[in-house]
Amino acid sequence: MEIKETLTIHANENDKGKRIDKFLNELIEDATRTYIQKIIDNGLVEVQGKKVTKSGNKLKGTETIIVNIPEDEVLDLIPEDIPLNIIYQDDDIVVINKTPNMVVHPAHGNYTGTLVNALLYHIKDLSTINGVIRPGIVHRLDKDTSGIIVVAKNDEAHGKLSEMFKEKTLEKTYVCIAKGIFKEKSGRIETFIGRDPRDRKKMAVVEENGKIAISNYEVLDESKNHSLVKVRIETGRTHQIRVHMKYLNHPIMGDSTYGSGNDGADRQMLHSYSLKFTHPTKNIEMIVIAPLLDDFKKAAKSIGLDISKIENNN
């Protein structure tokens, strides 16, 4: 079995008594419990140098765990007639306004209901650079973050788009509803982001073992207890905007991971609103905008925020 990635994970006192399959399921992004149990059964998980044989083994809280992630299975993904909101399409790219509650691509045994399944149904040609599991996928958004996803329809476009993301030559702008009133109405946040040492399911602003993360924010409107905020990111770290808003003590409305959740929104009110980039083959500057989705509009209206200020700010 070909190994795609090897993870080294350290358990601590807080993990004592947890089942190893449940522990790994919490830490490995997009992994199902069934998938974790499968790789344990295949001898791909080691604790203190010994292969784990039972998914129900309990942790002592002091272990070093090695997890070998196998190459994705080569299988026929099922095209699914899931509606797509296509903003723009030509022979090289398609731009989608992704809805919340949608994972971008299959991973770790979860092969249905993703954006890729929908793309396979609606789009005839997709690039092959990322293989059968991620055809056309150049970048991603969190499951419950809505907005712009650019998909490549051929390998030339994919390669050039990937280079733009790598070299940070695109301009990515998000809008969010954050809790509280900002003392500074605009600013630049430059920190390191890495795994939260107290909860490895989360990311956090850290002083070491992190990567540089830069976000520029501007408050567009305020209500009694919330702010409508535009955020332009210069880097694309995991959960970057959500972590940076929490760092400023203004977590995003509805964010159950970095805020309190249960505050009038069913998901984090974060939307990838606009993308400015050079078309990968036509070599012309493009600006694509993903209109706000109804749940974002409803949440903003319920707390007295004026979303028209987003359009007026462009």
Side-chain angles (χ1 to χ4, degrees):
M1 185 178 295
E2 295 288 333
I3 301 302
K4 177 177 68 174
E5 182 181 10
T6 298
L7 307 176
T8 300
I9 300 171
H10 301 283
N12 60 35
E13 293 179 358
N14 295 329
D15 304 314
K16 185 177 180 180
K18 289 184 179 178
R19 285 174 55 114
I20 191 167
D21 59 345
K22 184 176 185 296
F23 171 73
L24 294 177
N25 175 235
E26 292 173 349
L27 292 182
I28 300 176
E29 191 172 9
D30 297 332
T32 64
R33 186 86 165 263
T34 301
Y35 178 82
I36 295 299
Q37 291 169 349
K38 180 179 177 181
I39 63 173
I40 289 174
D41 290 343
N42 287 331
L44 298 177
V45 177
E46 298 178 3
V47 174
Q48 302 299 102
K50 295 182 179 181
K51 289 184 179 180
V52 178
T53 57
K54 295 182 180 179
S55 299
N57 283 5
K58 301 291 182 66
L59 295 173
K60 296 178 181 179
T62 58
E63 298 94 333
T64 296
I65 304 164
I66 304 297
V67 182
N68 294 297
I69 303 295
E71 286 287 352
D72 295 316
E73 298 176 31
V74 178
L75 59 128
D76 292 328
L77 289 177
I78 301 172
E80 296 181 63
D81 187 9
I82 302 169
L84 285 180
N85 186 349
I86 297 176
I87 303 169
Y88 173 86
Q89 183 175 193
D90 60 26
D91 291 339
D92 301 298
I93 63 174
V94 57
V95 184
I96 308 293
N97 187 355
K98 186 183 88 67
T99 58
N101 196 33
M102 176 181 277
V103 174
V104 171
H105 59 75
H108 305 314
N110 189 6
Y111 295 116
T112 61
T114 73
L115 177 63
V116 164
N117 295 100
L119 287 169
L120 290 171
Y121 184 92
H122 293 284
I123 308 297
K124 182 179 179 181
D125 299 309
L126 294 168
S127 71
T128 63
I129 286 178
N130 277 337
V132 297
I133 300 295
R134 298 183 293 276
I137 300 301
V138 181
H139 66 119
R140 56 184 288 180
L141 294 175
D142 295 340
K143 178 181 178 181
D144 281 330
T145 296
S146 56
I148 290 173
I149 287 276
V150 181
V151 176
K153 298 176 73 174
N154 56 64
D155 290 356
E156 179 185 1
H158 193 134
K160 291 182 178 179
L161 286 169
S162 294
E163 189 66 18
M164 293 178 206
F165 278 95
K166 180 181 178 181
E167 298 299 324
K168 304 176 180 61
T169 57
L170 310 91
E171 187 172 302
K172 296 174 282 186
T173 302
Y174 292 69
V175 291
C176 67
I177 300 174
K179 294 184 179 181
I181 303 302
F182 287 68
K183 182 178 180 180
E184 302 292 336
K185 305 307 179 186
S186 64
R188 176 182 173 88
I189 313 165
E190 184 170 343
T191 69
F192 290 96
I193 286 180
R195 289 286 171 188
D196 188 331
R198 293 171 295 182
D199 185 346
R200 289 182 296 275
K201 286 179 65 178
K202 299 181 181 180
M203 307 301 287
V205 170
V206 296
E207 294 184 2
E208 55 185 22
N209 299 322
K211 296 180 179 179
I212 191 70
I214 302 172
S215 304
N216 301 278
Y217 75 89
E218 179 184 353
V219 176
L220 302 180
D221 193 28
E222 299 173 341
S223 61
K224 183 178 180 180
N225 296 310
H226 294 83
S227 299
L228 182 65
V229 185
K230 179 177 77 172
V231 185
R232 182 175 59 82
I233 59 173
E234 297 181 30
T235 55
R237 306 305 175 202
T238 300
H239 300 174
Q240 177 174 319
I241 296 175
R242 298 164 66 189
V243 171
H244 272 167
M245 289 297 105
K246 179 184 179 182
Y247 176 69
L248 294 181
N249 292 319
H250 295 291
I252 293 175
M253 181 182 185
D255 193 337
S256 58
T257 300
Y258 297 104
S260 60
N262 301 318
D263 54 2
D266 294 329
R267 55 103 175 184
Q268 65 259 13
M269 289 294 107
L270 176 62
H271 181 79
S272 177
Y273 182 70
S274 71
L275 183 68
K276 181 178 179 181
F277 64 105
T278 301
H279 190 283
T281 62
K282 297 178 181 179
N283 201 34
I284 58 173
E285 184 179 277
M286 294 188 65
I287 300 176
V288 289
I289 291 176
L292 296 175
L293 301 184
D294 288 343
D295 66 337
F296 194 108
K297 294 177 182 178
K298 182 179 178 181
K301 183 178 179 180
S302 71
I303 53 178
L305 292 173
D306 183 2
I307 60 172
S308 69
K309 293 188 178 181
I310 298 171
E311 297 175 354
N312 295 338
N313 188 262
N314 286 334

